[in-house]
Amino acid sequence: MTILGTRRDTAENDKTPSASARRGVLERLFKITERGSTTGREIRGGLVTFFAMAYIVILNPLILGGTSAENAPTDVAGGWLATAQVGAVTGLAAGVLTILFGLVANLPFALAAGLGINSFLAVAVVGDVTWPEAMGLVLINGVLIVLLAATGARSAIFNAVPRQLKAAITVGIGLFIAFIGFVDAGFVTPTEGGPPVQLGDGGSITTVPTMIFVFGLLLMGILVSRGVKGGLLIGLVGTTVVAIVVEAVLQLGPASEDNPGGWSLSVPALPDTLVSVPDLSLLGQFSFGAFDRIGALAATMLVFTLFFTNFFDAMGTMTGLAKQGGLADADGNFPRIKSALVVEGVGAVVGGGTSSSSNTVFVDSAAGVGEGARTGLASVVTGGLFLAAMFLTPLTAVVPIEVASGALVVVGAMMMREIKEIDLGDFSVALPVFLTVVTMPLTYSIANGIGIGFITWVLLRFACGRAREVHPLLWVVAAGFLVYFVRGPLSAALGA
């Protein structure tokens, strides 16, 4: 008995130093305790962020590619991207960049292919250039952003933004991601000839997937309200299980014109196979031939559009996430901001080089931050899952977008609390703040909200005789946004 007890004690003692050493390495690398977090909370946060944005591995291929030329966006030369290839590089780019961001910036933010830019490429760019040429423009945009970040110019612009507008950006992003959740779940839909949006179909909820969204939203809301550890993750997993059972019983299938009551993106069912071999043949398939094909001026205007969207979407997203996680100071600055901005710029370079479109910090990272993630360890977890998703694409499709949407709405509500930091008694503050907040969800663009807010802030300060309160860089950025907002007529006037 004594011998056995001694062996057991010895084994336990052997494990303890090893575990302590691992904790020591994580502490030195990520400063988990200093940020007021724990290893378990970081892992949960990383899991929640992945589940909240795993849809990008499915959605990005649907936007950029197809299974044939007939159902894919074709470029000016008739070329197209295969969904399987886009899915593989989407997971690869998101995984590598998110891990890099976690290690370098030590922030719980995940990167993936930005939905605004990928849609812009598929709808407005490849009609004039080839897909490799479009990705070459994305890569150039990324190089410009990296240069600005590395020289400190991007940080300087960030610091020139008034704290009231930084808080407004956080609130606006909260409304934006909540609106995305409502739309993706079918809780809000467009109308024909009436108001722009309506509740469900004809003013009422009519589909089972939307009811599942409501159930998940309420479940997560209750768990978070009661302070349950891992409330968002428990809600995501629990609602997914309910969705799988409902689908098994009702056999709803995917949504279509003939089946409007189906699941909008992925059907919640256990897959037949768990593993698939990724096709990475799109790596390196980019070209700088756009300048010869459409001319230097037209190509430059396209880069300008990509640059402005990328630059300010990411700045706004990181501001909101840092404020939500309590990582930012009163002026909205957060740790390792320069490193974060550089790595985010690298995301555009990698996106162009992999043909996955520009990768940027995802607002869906707010789900993990809401779960309590405060360090880059959460990003490493999320990134590792994205790399695994290249091989486990069938499994990533199990969580329907209707379930993930519930988490977005809950997190949007969390971010709304930042409004208390803004004194709205001064109307010259209230109007720019209001326009920043409402423009983001109504135009489906973080950059648009930031631009409207900047321009209004500068003009009102000037009109009220308070121009000296405006940082010189903010004047420059506001002027740049004016050009950005009239780029269509400007291109036409210049013959681009």
Side-chain angles (χ1 to χ4, degrees):
M1 292 295 293
T2 303
I3 295 175
L4 290 175
T6 303
R7 287 177 178 175
R8 183 167 55 248
D9 293 341
T10 303
E12 290 175 354
N13 290 333
D14 287 341
K15 292 179 181 179
T16 302
S18 176
S20 299
R22 286 194 297 271
R23 286 195 296 270
V25 171
L26 293 177
E27 282 291 341
R28 288 194 298 273
L29 189 58
F30 298 110
K31 304 183 187 305
I32 298 172
T33 303
E34 182 180 320
R35 295 273 180 90
S37 186
T38 65
T39 301
R41 190 181 300 166
E42 295 301 308
I43 293 173
R44 287 200 309 271
L47 287 168
V48 168
T49 293
F50 174 75
F51 284 123
M53 58 187 289
Y55 66 86
I56 193 62
V57 179
I58 303 165
L59 185 56
N60 197 43
L62 296 179
I63 293 174
L64 297 181
T67 56
S68 66
E70 285 71 31
N71 61 10
T74 54
D75 61 29
V76 68
W80 56 282
L81 305 179
T83 52
Q85 296 174 342
V86 177
V89 294
T90 298
L92 175 64
V96 170
L97 288 167
T98 300
I99 291 174
L100 179 65
F101 193 89
L103 294 174
V104 174
N106 193 25
L107 292 166
F109 309 161
L111 285 78
L115 291 176
I117 289 182
N118 61 8
S119 299
F120 176 67
L121 292 174
V123 174
V125 176
V126 295
D128 298 319
V129 300
T130 66
W131 272 113
E133 290 165 354
M135 294 303 169
L137 296 176
V138 171
L139 194 151
I140 293 172
N141 147 67
V143 171
L144 292 175
I145 292 176
V146 170
L147 289 175
L148 284 177
T151 58
R154 197 176 185 188
S155 298
I157 294 173
F158 180 88
N159 294 331
V161 180
R163 62 178 180 82
Q164 296 96 325
L165 285 183
K166 288 177 179 176
I169 289 169
T170 303
V171 176
I173 291 174
L175 286 180
F176 180 43
I177 65 174
F179 190 57
I180 290 174
F182 284 142
V183 172
D184 288 347
F187 189 77
V188 169
T189 62
T191 65
E192 294 183 8
V197 294
Q198 63 178 341
L199 174 66
D201 183 12
S204 63
I205 299 173
T206 59
T207 70
V208 173
T210 303
M211 294 178 186
I212 295 293
F213 157 76
V214 174
F215 168 79
L217 170 61
L218 294 175
L219 175 61
M220 283 180 266
I222 292 170
L223 293 173
V224 172
S225 297
R226 293 181 63 87
V228 175
K229 291 183 178 180
L232 282 177
L233 180 58
I234 294 171
L236 282 169
V237 174
T239 309
T240 299
V241 171
V242 171
I244 292 173
V245 173
V246 169
E247 172 59 23
V249 173
L250 300 181
Q251 297 290 307
L252 299 174
S256 65
E257 291 185 5
D258 298 328
N259 183 33
W263 305 91
S264 60
L265 184 59
S266 58
V267 177
L270 295 177
D272 296 329
T273 179
L274 298 180
V275 180
S276 61
V277 179
D279 182 350
L280 301 176
S281 57
L282 286 178
L283 292 178
Q285 297 299 311
F286 63 89
S287 165
F288 301 119
F291 290 86
D292 291 329
R293 185 182 296 276
I294 61 177
L297 181 59
T300 300
M301 288 300 294
L302 290 176
V303 171
F304 179 80
T305 302
L306 291 169
F307 173 82
F308 252 72
T309 302
N310 230 150
F311 188 104
F312 288 101
D313 262 15
M315 189 187 80
T317 300
M318 285 193 279
T319 299
L321 293 173
K323 294 280 281 185
Q324 181 203 355
L327 301 173
D329 60 22
D331 295 322
N333 300 307
F334 52 86
R336 301 193 190 181
I337 183 172
K338 184 175 180 180
S339 299
L341 294 172
V342 170
V343 176
E344 194 280 330
V346 171
V349 177
V350 172
T354 59
S355 292
S356 62
S357 180
S358 180
N359 280 241
T360 186
V361 172
F362 247 57
V363 71
D364 306 64
S365 304
V369 176
E371 187 62 33
R374 296 294 181 268
T375 77
L377 177 57
S379 295
V380 172
V381 172
T382 302
L385 291 171
F386 267 119
L387 292 180
M390 290 194 302
F391 303 89
L392 302 173
T393 303
L395 190 60
T396 61
V398 171
V399 181
I401 193 66
E402 288 84 357
V403 173
S405 295
L408 295 184
V409 175
V410 171
V411 172
M414 294 177 179
M415 299 181 75
M416 272 292 297
R417 292 179 293 190
E418 193 64 26
I419 195 72
K420 69 180 185 296
E421 301 295 329
I422 307 172
D423 182 5
L424 299 176
D426 182 351
F427 193 72
S428 67
V429 171
L431 183 59
V433 165
F434 173 75
L435 292 177
T436 298
V437 169
V438 300
T439 300
M440 288 186 192
L442 294 182
T443 66
Y444 244 63
S445 168
I446 295 173
N448 285 349
I450 293 174
I452 294 294
F454 284 6
I455 292 171
T456 310
W457 181 275
V458 167
L459 290 178
L460 287 181
R461 282 291 178 278
F462 176 78
C464 294
R466 300 163 63 181
R468 292 183 178 179
E469 298 178 7
V470 180
H471 194 288
L473 277 176
L474 202 60
W475 286 98
V476 175
V477 174
F481 266 114
L482 279 175
V483 176
Y484 174 73
F485 287 137
V486 298
R487 65 191 183 279
L490 184 62
S491 296
L494 295 175

